[in-house]
Amino acid sequence: MTQAYPLHWPDGLPRTERKAASQFRTSLSAALKNVKGALESFGRDSGKPVSNIVLSSNVGGLDLEPPRDTGVAAWFTWEGEQRCIAVDRYPKPEDNLQAIFHILEARRTEIRHGGLHIVRQTFKGFTALPAPEHWTQALGVSPHATAEEVNAAYRRHARAAHPDQGGSGDQMARLNAARDAAIRQIGGPHGV
């Protein structure tokens, strides 16, 4: 199940390495309102309601500092399929949300000028594969875990997951991916 926090990025969608400057001047609350409104309007315009909306990001908790990973993923169901529009192009979550708003508005324009069949073609690229398991879940740690806590959890789980200990290569690959994602997000050394 996709959660709003922490960020669940769609599997197979590459991440932006170099952020672009944004011209948006929209606050986080206004950008949230814009995206929710655009999803509702898109459902009305298409005659196919949008449901199960989850706006997933690393904005959450009581942290006063902006998150290191500013990506945002809008997960929703349309025409019986889970879809995801994910943007991490900009250095602020509100700008990435506003970009999602503009992407949705473009789909509404396609409906008006090209019809529903055009939007269905466009949305083939937004069909979402299940969100990958977040590193916090795979390792059983808090989103605020330190690199030391991540590495300790990795070692603890690796004892059972390793093929030599009755686990499998898939289980170890899952743990390795979770540890790598955690270290990329929070920073720190890979210690084993």
Side-chain angles (χ1 to χ4, degrees), residues 80-130:
E81 291 187 27
Q82 187 177 41
R83 315 289 177 146
C84 183
I85 301 173
V87 176
D88 66 348
R89 179 180 172 93
Y90 301 111
K92 296 193 307 193
E94 54 267 34
D95 294 343
N96 290 318
L97 264 173
Q98 193 64 10
I100 291 171
F101 164 73
H102 287 289
I103 292 166
L104 288 164
E105 288 298 296
R107 303 299 73 84
R108 292 182 65 212
T109 300
E110 287 175 350
I111 289 172
R112 285 191 298 277
H113 299 288
L116 198 52
H117 68 285
I118 298 291
V119 175
R120 284 187 180 119
Q121 285 299 111
T122 303
F123 262 52
K124 284 184 179 182
F126 295 134
T127 301
L129 298 172

Side-chain angles (χ1 to χ4, degrees), residues 54-67:
V54 176
L55 301 179
S56 183
S57 75
N58 285 323
V59 178
L62 299 174
D63 292 341
L64 298 177
E65 292 182 30

Side-chain angles (χ1 to χ4, degrees), residues 23-177:
Q23 300 301 312
F24 300 130
R25 300 289 178 252
T26 310
S27 69
L28 182 58
S29 61
L32 282 166
K33 183 178 176 183
N34 289 345
V35 170
K36 289 177 182 176
L39 282 166
E40 291 169 8
S41 295
F42 174 78
R44 258 190 327 275
D45 293 351
S46 69
K48 312 285 183 178
V50 172
S51 61
N52 304 320
I53 298 169
V54 176
L55 301 179
S56 183
S57 75
N58 285 323
V59 178
L62 299 174
D63 292 341
L64 298 177
E65 292 182 30
R68 290 181 188 185
D69 183 346
T70 60
V72 178
W75 295 85
F76 56 96
T77 302
W78 182 69
E79 288 199 318
E81 291 187 27
Q82 187 177 41
R83 315 289 177 146
C84 183
I85 301 173
V87 176
D88 66 348
R89 179 180 172 93
Y90 301 111
K92 296 193 307 193
E94 54 267 34
D95 294 343
N96 290 318
L97 264 173
Q98 193 64 10
I100 291 171
F101 164 73
H102 287 289
I103 292 166
L104 288 164
E105 288 298 296
R107 303 299 73 84
R108 292 182 65 212
T109 300
E110 287 175 350
I111 289 172
R112 285 191 298 277
H113 299 288
L116 198 52
H117 68 285
I118 298 291
V119 175
R120 284 187 180 119
Q121 285 299 111
T122 303
F123 262 52
K124 284 184 179 182
F126 295 134
T127 301
L129 298 172
E133 183 178 32
H134 195 269
W135 60 264
T136 57
Q137 294 167 326
L139 295 171
V141 296
S142 147
H144 305 291
T146 64
E148 293 79 22
E149 291 168 326
V150 164
N151 286 320
Y154 171 83
R155 286 190 299 274
R156 187 172 56 252
H157 289 292
R159 287 186 197 110
H162 196 278
D164 292 344
Q165 301 299 320
S168 69
D170 287 342
Q171 289 173 322
M172 278 308 297
R174 174 181 157 259
L175 272 179
N176 288 335

